[in-house]
Amino acid sequence: MGALALERLPPWVRDLLIFSLFVMMTVVMTWPWARHLRDTVSDNGDSYAFVWSLWWNYHQTFTDPLNLFHANIFFPYRYTLAYTEHGYGAALLFFPLLALGLPPMTVYSVAILLAFAFCGYASFRLTRTLTGSFPISLVAGIIFAFIPYRLLFITALPYLLCAWVPLSLEALILFARRRSWKRAAWLGLCLLMSGMTNITWFFYSLVPLVPTFIFLVIRYDIHKDRALWLRGVIALVISALLLFPFLWPYYKASTLYSYKKDITEVEQNSVRTEEWLTAPVYNRFWGYMGMGSGLPGIRVTLFTGLLPLLLFLAGIFLVEPYVLIANNDQRRARGPINYSHRLLILDLFCLLAFVIAIVAAGYAGAPGLSRFAARFLNAKTSDRAVFVLIGLLLVRFCISYPAILQFGRNRNLIETFRSQRRSDAFWISTIWVVFSLLLTFGVNTFFYRVLYDLLLPFKSLRAPHRAAMIGYVGFAILAGLGAGRVANLIPRKRFVNASLTFAIIGVVILVELHAAPLPVYRGVVDADEVSLKLKQTAMRGAVLDLPSLPGPPYYSWHLSMLRSVHHGHPVIFASSSFIPPLPNQIHQLVTQATLSPDLLTLLEEVPTSYIVLHRKLIEPDRQPEFTRFFNEAVSTGRLRLIGTYGDGDDLYAITKTEPEAR
């Protein structure tokens, strides 16, 4: 079905067909995932943790929503859902499937596939709004959906499902074009869902959204429109109020447990230039050929693929002929702008900020400075001065370019933004790419250091490289524009036209970015016998799964989370971005050569109700020590063996907590 035929269909039918197209592409690009939807996951680690997250959000919404963030992991700590991404917005979309009784792992498997398709569709919508072109939008959607970096998050549904970021940008553009209540409500909803789905993407996306809004106000000359401010502010306030209950627990958790990322950890996850030249092993075209494998110290893989990169460059450098809108020509006819006094003051402030930045950077850490001087002459002061300098320069350029920098027919930044030589799509995508680059390099740039220093949310974001996903929003649009430029350059022949060119580009991108056959793992979808027993058992405390194997190949802490889905009781072991002290303390006692009675004393204090001993996971040389420890605990009456289930899972009750257990 061609683009013209699609335009004749009702909008909802047309968009449903486009979404279905992205679903079909996802099935091919991630095969054989769709072949085993019931129990397919990417690993037995983080995948299990996010299966639990999906289930918990659904379960708690309909049982005790006011205690949503007091999850049943890391007992007895509070606000434990806020130790990582809560993913409520991602789970919310799939509540109907869980309500139908599908196993949480099956719903998770379906959600992973639909996340790819939803991201592609969202990018398609954004690009279509900006360009009005179906083929350009399709190319942008394909790139954003299957960018190799996305495969790094295939175990984590809230990170994979970042469709609300491009939808929020599209909603902002639509509202700027027509300031109606309907579009204001849609903007508020998109921002709300973005914040409810993934806090990392939400806060990173706010950084380019602010300059995008400023650009749109200048571009459309709508700063005096009362509806813009009234309806926009009301929509944002309502959205913020609804989002507040999902953000407040993170603040509480950070204050209760000092859950804040140290600057050294942020530095370790800041991007270096060579990491943009490295492809993930999931990518069959570049990753399996070792793209970037020879580069030292690679921590993250950000390579976009070669054809998308070439199209991105084409979108930047292949420019349409220079045209100015009539409004600018009328202004220019009135003669040059005369802001000499204001410009002089601005230039003096710019010079002052520049001097402060240089002096503060030069004296940072210098010995012999007085306490008063050291307070002001440091790297932090220099960063803030550079930040202020750039802001002042932008104001200066909005009034008038300096004579040495004046180019073309535009006298200032406002006229440049309003020039029709470059489209909305170009400027907006450029804003997103530039600010994303500043964020991804993390503490290697003054920009991120200032944000980390001044804004509390950035102190809890440990991986600046994740801001690359925000930049891919703009990257995909520019690559789509580049595809359009290339298609227009191809000579028209009998069997060669723009449609064929776009089709070839789309197919080549899919081939270059494909990951199929994707390595998959058959997850534990059904409850085991001991979990079914625990589900029928009332308890005062929590469940502890032993042995403690938080890492590969067993990931027992993740398995403990998955088993809590099956039995519904609190568990002590779990995995997240923040691990509280108690699980680590228990892990140290369990991994000692000799199991000490102090372990039981600690478990009684928690309190722990039951211990599940997975004997198949115990290393052979440690089997005798576990047998000795549990036999002695039973003989002294501190433990009671309830039974053995399945393939050798022993269930013990801690008698101090559960004296009536039989």
Side-chain angles (χ1 to χ4, degrees):
M1 182 180 292
L4 292 178
L6 280 174
E7 292 298 328
R8 300 190 187 100
L9 296 173
W12 70 271
V13 175
R14 182 174 62 240
D15 283 19
L16 181 60
L17 289 174
I18 293 168
F19 182 80
S20 301
L21 176 62
F22 278 105
V23 170
M24 289 187 288
M25 285 190 286
T26 300
V27 169
V28 174
M29 295 287 281
T30 60
W31 189 261
W33 191 293
R35 187 178 178 182
H36 307 288
L37 280 178
R38 184 175 184 272
D39 58 358
T40 297
V41 290
S42 292
D43 64 1
N44 59 346
D46 285 348
S47 296
Y48 285 1
F50 285 101
V51 170
W52 168 86
S53 174
L54 189 71
W55 165 81
W56 175 259
N57 282 301
Y58 171 77
H59 166 79
Q60 199 71 351
T61 297
F62 296 101
T63 55
D64 189 9
L66 295 180
N67 287 308
L68 174 69
F69 277 86
H70 301 313
N72 69 336
I73 57 173
F74 294 123
F75 183 87
Y77 293 93
R78 295 174 61 78
Y79 300 102
T80 51
L81 187 61
Y83 292 179
T84 187
E85 291 287 346
H86 58 77
Y88 189 85
L92 183 63
L93 298 176
F94 300 97
F95 277 8
L97 296 182
L98 292 166
L100 290 174
L102 293 180
M105 184 172 290
T106 302
V107 177
Y108 173 82
S109 183
V110 173
I112 290 292
L113 288 188
L114 292 182
F116 282 95
F118 191 20
C119 289
Y121 168 72
S123 181
F124 173 91
R125 275 192 56 145
L126 169 61
T127 311
R128 183 181 62 186
T129 296
L130 286 169
T131 66
S133 169
F134 174 84
I136 288 177
S137 304
L138 189 60
V139 170
I142 291 172
I143 292 174
F144 187 68
F146 305 112
I147 200 84
Y149 181 67
R150 185 181 303 283
L151 293 170
L152 299 182
F153 301 105
I154 199 168
T155 61
L157 177 61
Y159 287 99
L160 193 64
L161 188 63
C162 60
W164 292 105
V165 173
L167 287 178
S168 297
L169 175 55
E170 186 211 20
L172 178 63
I173 296 166
L174 290 173
F175 178 65
R177 291 178 177 177
R178 190 168 74 240
R179 280 77 64 193
S180 65
W181 282 112
K182 181 178 179 180
R183 292 192 173 186
W186 175 239
L187 172 61
L189 177 62
C190 288
L191 290 173
L192 174 64
M193 287 301 298
S194 179
M196 289 172 57
T197 300
N198 187 287
I199 291 177
T200 300
W201 299 150
F202 175 70
F203 282 116
Y204 280 146
S205 66
L206 289 180
V207 175
L209 272 174
V210 172
T212 300
F213 172 73
I214 296 173
F215 163 78
L216 291 171
V217 170
I218 295 173
R219 179 82 165 182
Y220 298 154
D221 196 15
I222 54 176
H223 62 283
K224 295 181 180 180
D225 190 336
R226 185 170 177 268
L228 170 72
W229 305 105
L230 176 63
R231 296 171 183 176
V233 169
I234 290 176
L236 293 181
V237 168
I238 294 175
S239 177
L241 290 175
L242 293 175
L243 188 58
F244 179 78
F246 295 90
L247 298 180
W248 178 252
Y250 286 88
Y251 173 75
K252 291 294 294 182
S254 66
T255 55
L256 283 174
Y257 309 117
S258 299
Y259 179 34
K260 184 179 75 171
K261 300 304 177 184
D262 187 76
I263 191 67
T264 56
E265 184 178 1
V266 177
E267 182 178 6
Q268 292 172 356
N269 288 289
S270 298
V271 171
R272 297 172 301 153
T273 305
E274 53 266 34
E275 288 168 325
W276 290 98
L277 303 175
T278 307
V281 294
Y282 280 123
N283 179 259
R284 291 283 174 174
F285 195 88
W286 296 107
Y288 274 54
M289 292 193 299
M291 175 71 173
S293 60
L295 299 175
I298 296 299
R299 291 159 294 185
V300 63
T301 55
L302 297 171
F303 186 56
T304 60
L306 185 58
L307 181 56
L309 180 60
L310 294 176
L311 293 175
F312 167 78
L313 295 175
I316 293 177
F317 294 110
L318 297 182
V319 190
E320 294 295 328
Y322 194 98
V323 180
L324 286 178
I325 58 177
N327 193 32
N328 283 341
D329 289 335
Q330 294 169 3
R331 287 187 179 186
R332 191 162 42 256
R334 293 197 294 267
I337 303 174
N338 184 14
Y339 290 124
S340 56
H341 296 297
R342 298 181 187 179
L343 290 177
L344 177 61
I345 294 173
L346 272 175
D347 289 343
L348 288 175
F349 274 112
C350 290
L351 180 62
L352 177 61
F354 177 76
V355 170
I356 292 174
I358 294 298
V359 173
Y363 280 99
L369 291 177
S370 66
R371 181 179 300 179
F372 178 80
R375 181 179 178 184
F376 296 100
L377 299 179
N378 52 54
K380 185 179 295 186
T381 300
S382 178
D383 289 341
R384 294 181 181 181
V386 173
F387 199 84
V388 171
L389 173 62
I390 292 177
L392 290 173
L393 287 175
L394 288 174
V395 174
R396 208 274 189 215
F397 292 164
C398 285
I399 297 174
S400 176
Y401 291 128
I404 196 173
L405 295 179
Q406 288 188 8
F407 52 90
R409 301 182 182 182
N410 300 323
R411 296 171 304 171
N412 54 43
L413 189 61
I414 293 176
E415 288 189 1
T416 301
F417 281 166
R418 289 176 178 168
S419 168
Q420 292 298 91
R421 191 185 189 202
R422 292 289 195 174
S423 64
D424 291 0
F426 171 83
W427 285 114
I428 291 172
S429 55
T430 300
I431 289 171
W432 280 66
V433 170
V434 169
F435 278 92
S436 170
L437 284 174
L438 291 173
L439 291 172
T440 56
F441 284 105
V443 295
N444 297 322
T445 67
F446 77 94
F447 184 76
Y448 198 98
R449 291 195 297 268
V450 170
L451 294 179
Y452 180 89
D453 182 44
L454 297 179
L455 301 179
L456 180 61
F458 280 82
K459 289 181 170 62
S460 299
L461 302 177
R462 66 186 178 93
H465 68 77
R466 290 173 180 168
M469 189 64 74
I470 307 303
Y472 291 139
V473 174
F475 177 88
I477 298 171
L478 281 171
L481 292 176
R485 302 282 192 266
V486 171
N488 290 334
L489 292 175
I490 300 296
R492 300 293 184 266
K493 301 294 183 181
R494 182 176 181 182
F495 298 106
V496 179
N497 53 36
S499 297
L500 179 60
T501 303
F502 277 112
I504 294 173
I505 289 174
V507 170
V508 173
I509 292 174
L510 288 172
V511 171
E512 184 181 358
L513 302 185
H514 84 283
L518 193 70
V520 295
Y521 185 88
R522 306 298 293 276
V524 183
V525 65
D526 296 317
D528 58 353
E529 290 186 15
V530 71
S531 296
L532 292 175
K533 170 62 178 177
L534 288 171
K535 186 176 182 179
Q536 301 168 359
T537 305
M539 61 183 70
R540 299 179 177 89
V543 177
L544 176 69
D545 290 271
L546 292 179
S548 175
L549 303 170
Y554 298 110
Y555 296 99
S556 68
W557 288 19
H558 299 80
L559 182 61
S560 180
M561 299 177 73
L562 182 65
R563 291 310 188 193
S564 75
V565 173
H566 298 147
H567 59 65
H569 292 294
V571 293
I572 296 175
F573 281 155
S575 180
S576 70
S577 300
F578 170 71
I579 305 294
L582 178 62
N584 288 324
Q585 187 178 357
I586 295 174
H587 174 72
Q588 292 174 1
L589 291 172
V590 170
T591 53
Q592 288 178 355
T594 302
L595 296 177
S596 167
D598 293 341
L599 173 61
L600 276 179
T601 302
L602 177 61
L603 295 182
E604 290 169 345
E605 293 173 354
V606 170
T608 306
S609 291
Y610 291 91
I611 298 176
V612 179
L613 182 63
H614 303 278
R615 289 199 173 271
K616 291 182 63 176
L617 300 182
I618 303 174
E619 297 175 354
D621 60 336
R622 299 219 65 200
Q623 289 279 358
E625 176 60 22
F626 274 91
T627 300
R628 179 200 64 79
F629 175 80
F630 279 89
N631 286 343
E632 288 183 0
V634 169
S635 63
T636 57
R638 301 183 72 179
L639 289 181
R640 182 174 297 131
L641 178 62
I642 304 301
T644 300
Y645 303 87
D647 296 329
D649 293 333
D650 292 341
L651 179 63
Y652 292 89
I654 296 183
T655 54
K656 184 176 180 179
T657 310
E658 303 292 341
E660 299 176 358
R662 294 292 182 271

